[in-house]
Amino acid sequence: MKDGASMLSQELEADIVRLYHAEKWKVGTIARQLGVHHSAVRRVLSQQGVSQARRCTRASITDPFIPLIVETLEKYPRLPASRLWQMAKERGYPGARDYFRTVVARYRPRPKAEAYLRLRTLAAEQAQVDWGHFGHQQIGNARRPLMAFVMVLSYSRAIFLRFYLSAKMPCFLHGHVSAFEHFGGVARVLLYDNLKSAVLERKGDAIRFHPTLLELSAHYRFEPRPCAPYRGNEKGRVERAIRYIRSSFFSGREFRDLEDLNQQAFEWSQGYAAERRCPEDEALTVREAFEQERSKLLELPDDAFAVDERLEVTSSKLPYLRFDLNDYSIPAGCVRKPLVLLASLTQVRILDGSEVVAEHSRCFERRRVIEDPAHIRELVEHKRKARMHRGLDRLQKAVPASAPLFEALAEQGVNLGAATTALLRQLDRVGAADLEHAITEALQRGTPHLASVRQVLETQRYSRGLPPTVGRHLPQDERVQGPVVKPHSLGDYDAIGREGDDG
């Protein structure tokens, strides 16, 4: 059933009025026969001046409480119906909440319709900025929000679009810098919603901007300006742009990863979105209007604003620093020291004073350990007892099936140190995927032995047409690895054969 008069067509409204006046049908009969809600029928009839349609002719249990409802709503027009029902209940109202709610809705004062002026801006005068939420993206074992940073030039309606896995301040700053470089300049005023990244506190006309946003505005010489609370129409250009992005770009789109999505977003904004008509001048496309606006934008400074996230941290006794729920390795000599972590969207750097002591590719998964082997090698060499545990830890992270295999080997009394060394050698030779498959197959066969794992690996090599592996590697010793053997001449043997013939 349709439940709102605003959804009814003019023909249906005419039928409701005709059946009520000419055929003398009751409200309930009209609602059932036309398939609409009875409240919609009453609303249509009340708009035609039929006051009987707004309330039942028989007495209602809410009648004694109508003055309470009207007087309270005059003072507090936004008071919830549930609170009014509690007030009436305390005064003896015997009815249920649902029916009382419909009565409150009947007498609640309606806000007056507000008219808006069309806002026009000069070229390069204003840009509008906002975030759009586009669901979530699964990155390994982490589920990250997929956020779209959108900046729209108010005159030409040129769109800058870039997706991030967060709406935090580093991404907010990176979006600004990327947009300025994309447009080749900066608008004089940037209009924001009351985002936490832009406005920390607001009381009336008193506004406290985020200090980092003020630094950004001073660097690029633009004025940050928040729109009034509950006045989304003031930044309607970016709101409509986000709706346009949802319907014209994102809906039904497939992408491999975030980099692929951003490449597609760039091509769309430069192609399809730039060829639409400019609302400020229908004779121009957005691309043509932007070319007129580009020369009037503020020039970019010589250096870009630093957007890396900076954290002052102190390492624990372990050679790792935790950032964004992942652990990044540091040199053993940097433990228990104050350090500085700088994180971009692609890299994590760790500084001891002004010296970079560690660099890692940034990981957007959760609870991962990102290591530089050089950071751990020295520590392991000094702690001989830790070598086997280190190897076990590496195997368990790279090959999860090794954990039940080691449990079975321990029950058999196998030397776990030798088994660890052998499996690490196989891991380096065949890779984690093949070793995982071989161990899993050996466990499924009920033969949890190193020989069984080697046999599966050799079967894999044979099926791929590869030669069998050589046995043990030669020891790492110069006496074995270094000597060069010179072959003897076979002429001596031929001479011995001839001497035998003469005899």
Side-chain angles (χ1 to χ4, degrees), residues 232-261:
N233 63 293
E234 293 185 4
K235 59 180 186 65
R237 291 169 173 83
V238 71
E239 296 283 358
R240 286 191 293 273
I242 292 176
R243 291 198 297 268
Y244 178 58
I245 291 167
R246 293 187 191 280
S247 60
S248 178
F249 171 74
F250 193 77
S251 180
R253 185 167 296 271
E254 297 182 357
F255 52 93
R256 298 187 305 274
D257 50 25
L258 189 66
E259 182 179 357
D260 180 40
L261 178 61

Side-chain angles (χ1 to χ4, degrees), residues 133-137 143-147 164-167 366:
H133 186 264
F134 285 78
H136 291 79
Q137 182 74 6
R143 188 168 180 261
R144 300 271 186 171
L146 186 60
M147 306 298 297
Y164 296 91
L165 298 175
S166 169
R366 301 283 193 184

